[in-house]
Amino acid sequence: MSQHLFDLQNQNMIITGGAQGIGFEFVKAFKEAGANIVVLDISDKVENLQELNVDYIQCDLMEIEKIEATFQQAAKKLNGKVDILINCAGIIKRSPAVDVPLDTWQRIFNLNVTSLFELSRLAARVMKEHGRGKIINLSSIVSVIGAYHSSPYSASKGAVLQLTKSLSNEWASYGIQVNAIAPGYILTDMNTDILNNPTRKAEFEKRIPANRWGSPQDIVGTALFLASPASDYVTGVLIPVDGGVLSR
Ligand SMILES: NC(=O)c1ccc[n+]([C@@H]2O[C@H](COP(=O)([O-])OP(=O)(O)OC[C@H]3O[C@@H](n4cnc5c(N)ncnc54)[C@H](O)[C@@H]3O)[C@@H](O)[C@H]2O)c1
């Protein structure tokens, strides 16, 4: 049994936001583990996935009314079977709460919450037919602690955490596990403005017991665990991967 615990060979999966950053590390690791992947991402960088022989659909997941057709297209590429969904696409916009245009709030929620909800429901219908499935949502440490100058983002990631628990409640009995990962401070484009400012970068570092920012590779092991049979009795949880920030 134990040799199958982490087996992902021929598992069919959809990864959103797989063109760069954390999602791209997922794509490389799951490809290496033998999974069949379709990436959904808005960026032109998805074209680079051709070199890895990974399939993709370039799409704007904020266009909620188009998500069902996009999902069906992805499912067709996977011969109608979706074993794993990783909801990784996300955006942040930093500014004081009083200055946030409502349109920015709406866009953050559209992508970070509504598209995740819609894709998860579409995937769950297929997974239910097969009696098993794994849904992994990228939340954040700011779903637990408050953020500073990114209140819409923090609220959206809190929503992701609560959705993870609620969807887990509904789907656990179908053999579908729904879990969330809470990355801490990770070296990706999402944090370019902080990383380009040595003082701010150092300020963030002081909050991290591990004394360093995380890399996208630091998140991979938890995703592999949550996607594999090893986590079949783990559902509805948030796993921080944050160098200890949440435990301070
Ligand atoms: N980097 C961090 O410190 C950090 C911390 C906590 C949580 N997260 C979460 O991890 C996930 C990945 O973040 P990242 O740091 O790799 O960010 P990133 O900006 O490097 O990658 C985000 C990906 O989402 C895609 N995307 C953006 N808008 C889209 C849209 N409208 N439709 C489809 N795809 C779209 C981008 O093209 C990109 O490939 C996000 O959900 C983020 O909120 C990141």
Side-chain angles (χ1 to χ4, degrees):
M1 171 66 184
S2 62
Q3 77 212 58
H4 302 300
L5 274 180
F6 292 94
D7 188 8
L8 292 163
Q9 204 71 35
N10 290 320
Q11 291 293 289
N12 290 351
M13 65 187 300
I14 294 174
I15 304 180
T16 73
Q20 65 169 51
I22 296 169
F24 183 61
E25 288 305 315
F26 290 164
V27 171
K28 287 191 288 184
F30 280 91
K31 176 76 183 168
E32 203 181 311
N36 309 310
I37 307 167
V38 178
V39 168
L40 309 182
D41 200 298
I42 195 172
S43 166
D44 289 343
K45 289 184 185 167
V46 280
E47 288 169 18
N48 299 334
L49 297 175
Q50 282 170 17
E51 285 166 30
L52 299 178
N53 208 13
V54 169
D55 214 338
Y56 61 84
I57 299 169
Q58 192 171 11
C59 58
D60 182 356
L61 291 170
M62 277 191 210
E63 296 181 334
I64 303 301
E65 68 288 352
K66 292 188 184 164
I67 286 184
E68 181 160 9
T70 305
F71 175 85
Q72 298 308 350
Q73 203 186 335
K76 201 168 166 196
K77 286 174 181 282
L78 297 167
N79 298 318
K81 189 163 175 274
V82 180
D83 303 298
I84 304 159
L85 167 68
I86 304 188
N87 287 304
C88 187
I91 48 163
I92 192 169
K93 193 102 179 81
R94 293 188 175 90
S95 72
V98 287
D99 298 332
V100 176
L102 270 183
D103 175 60
T104 299
W105 169 278
Q106 203 60 59
R107 287 172 60 77
I108 289 174
F109 266 75
N110 260 1
L111 181 65
N112 296 7
V113 184
T114 314
S115 81
L116 176 147
F117 180 59
E118 189 61 358
L119 278 171
S120 299
R121 295 194 300 169
L122 288 158
R125 285 182 200 132
V126 177
M127 291 168 175
K128 195 176 159 186
E129 277 170 32
H130 293 93
R132 60 182 288 119
K134 303 274 188 183
I135 298 177
I136 302 165
N137 297 325
L138 272 287
S139 181
S140 165
I141 52 171
V142 298
S143 67
V144 180
I145 53 174
Y148 189 74
H149 285 179
S150 48
S151 47
Y153 177 79
S154 170
S156 76
K157 293 299 180 178
V160 169
L161 171 57
Q162 290 305 327
L163 259 178
T164 299
K165 294 188 232 174
S166 300
L167 299 180
S168 167
N169 286 344
E170 289 194 31
W171 301 337
S173 64
Y174 305 135
I176 302 169
Q177 290 85 51
V178 189
N179 290 295
I181 300 175
Y185 305 118
I186 310 300
L187 298 162
T188 69
D189 286 2
M190 188 167 268
N191 296 314
T192 303
D193 49 344
I194 300 165
L195 296 169
N196 285 341
N197 180 332
T199 313
R200 288 194 72 200
K201 183 172 182 260
E203 273 168 19
F204 275 80
E205 236 149 52
K206 279 194 208 128
R207 303 179 202 162
I208 310 171
N211 216 20
R212 66 166 176 90
W213 281 63
S215 71
Q217 292 92 317
D218 282 319
I219 317 298
V220 167
T222 304
L224 290 171
F225 166 65
L226 291 177
S228 68
S231 60
D232 278 357
Y233 204 55
V234 177
T235 192
V237 303
L238 176 79
I239 303 185
V241 186
D242 64 352
V245 175
L246 282 188
S247 296
R248 274 192 62 182

